[in-house]
Amino acid sequence: MTQTITKLTLQEFLALPEGDVTCELINGEAVPKMSPKRFHASLQAELLAILRAWCAGDGFVYPEWAIALQRNGEDWCPVPDLTYISANRLPPDVGNEACPVPPELAIEIMSEGQAFKQFIEKAADYLNAGVDRVWIVDPVSRSITVFFGDRPPQTYTGSTPLTDWMFANLELTALQVFQQAGI
């Protein structure tokens, strides 16, 4: 007996009722995200505070905000751990919906048991969909790897400043983030 799976459209996915589990639209299916643990939650909170202070008045940082994108010609709706979008990129009429345009930055925080390889693939998908930067935060190696659309990724550890023309005046090191998160 063969079972046919009907793929969800982006509109059907976004119309699903909210539940206790956050899902992403991947290949037409609502796929649950891994449930975050303490290190993940602490890193998310610290990065949210740092980035919100940095972009105050010029942009927005949101935790767990779905983004309506395309991947391999299909609807894709990832839910990054954090999203930064500048005030001039976010349409003024956006309501309570998925982010309708690619943001400048998507941040994914690794959890126990997740492989860095899957995050490399997801970073490539974000970049191909128009996201300008992707940060992968790894609590085990205490590192932040930045993916760019026009050059190889760069991994930051310790007290090396994370510098990027796109985030002018942002003062950030991996050491600072992990220490403030208590990791």
Side-chain angles (χ1 to χ4, degrees):
M1 178 180 228
T2 305
Q3 187 174 18
T4 304
I5 297 174
T6 304
K7 289 187 171 190
L8 294 170
T9 65
L10 178 62
Q11 292 72 27
E12 292 168 334
F13 172 76
L14 294 174
L16 292 173
E18 287 191 37
D20 295 336
V21 177
T22 301
C23 291
E24 298 180 301
L25 179 65
I26 301 173
N27 298 326
E29 294 183 44
V31 178
K33 283 188 70 171
M34 181 174 269
S35 179
K37 306 248 181 340
R38 186 177 79 84
F39 286 175
H40 185 284
S42 185
L43 285 165
Q44 186 178 26
E46 289 306 322
L47 284 164
L48 177 66
I50 291 166
L51 291 171
R52 278 196 172 160
W54 163 76
C55 74
D58 295 325
F60 309 93
V61 182
Y62 297 108
E64 308 289 330
W65 190 24
I67 308 170
L69 299 170
Q70 289 279 305
R71 186 180 82 165
N72 301 324
E74 293 187 4
D75 288 333
W76 178 45
C77 196
V79 182
D81 294 308
L82 291 166
T83 301
Y84 164 72
I85 188 163
S86 63
N88 63 356
R89 186 177 285 196
L90 187 65
D93 60 346
V94 170
N96 191 28
E97 60 197 69
C99 185
V101 295
E104 281 91 343
L105 174 64
I107 300 176
E108 294 284 354
I109 302 168
M110 294 177 63
S111 294
E112 280 182 35
Q114 291 183 306
F116 191 72
K117 182 179 187 266
Q118 76 188 67
F119 285 93
I120 292 171
E121 293 167 3
K122 193 169 191 179
D125 289 336
Y126 277 124
L127 295 171
N128 289 332
V131 176
D132 296 311
R133 299 288 188 272
V134 181
W135 293 3
I136 305 300
V137 181
D138 183 352
V140 174
S141 68
R142 295 174 52 103
S143 66
I144 301 171
T145 301
V146 179
F147 291 82
F148 308 87
D150 61 350
R151 62 183 184 267
Q154 184 168 354
T155 299
Y156 295 87
T157 59
S159 59
T160 303
L162 191 158
T163 56
D164 188 331
W165 66 266
M166 185 170 283
F167 308 110
N169 301 317
L170 175 62
E171 296 180 13
L172 176 74
T173 68
L175 179 65
Q176 166 197 1
V177 171
F178 287 99
Q179 281 183 338
Q180 288 179 358
I183 299 171

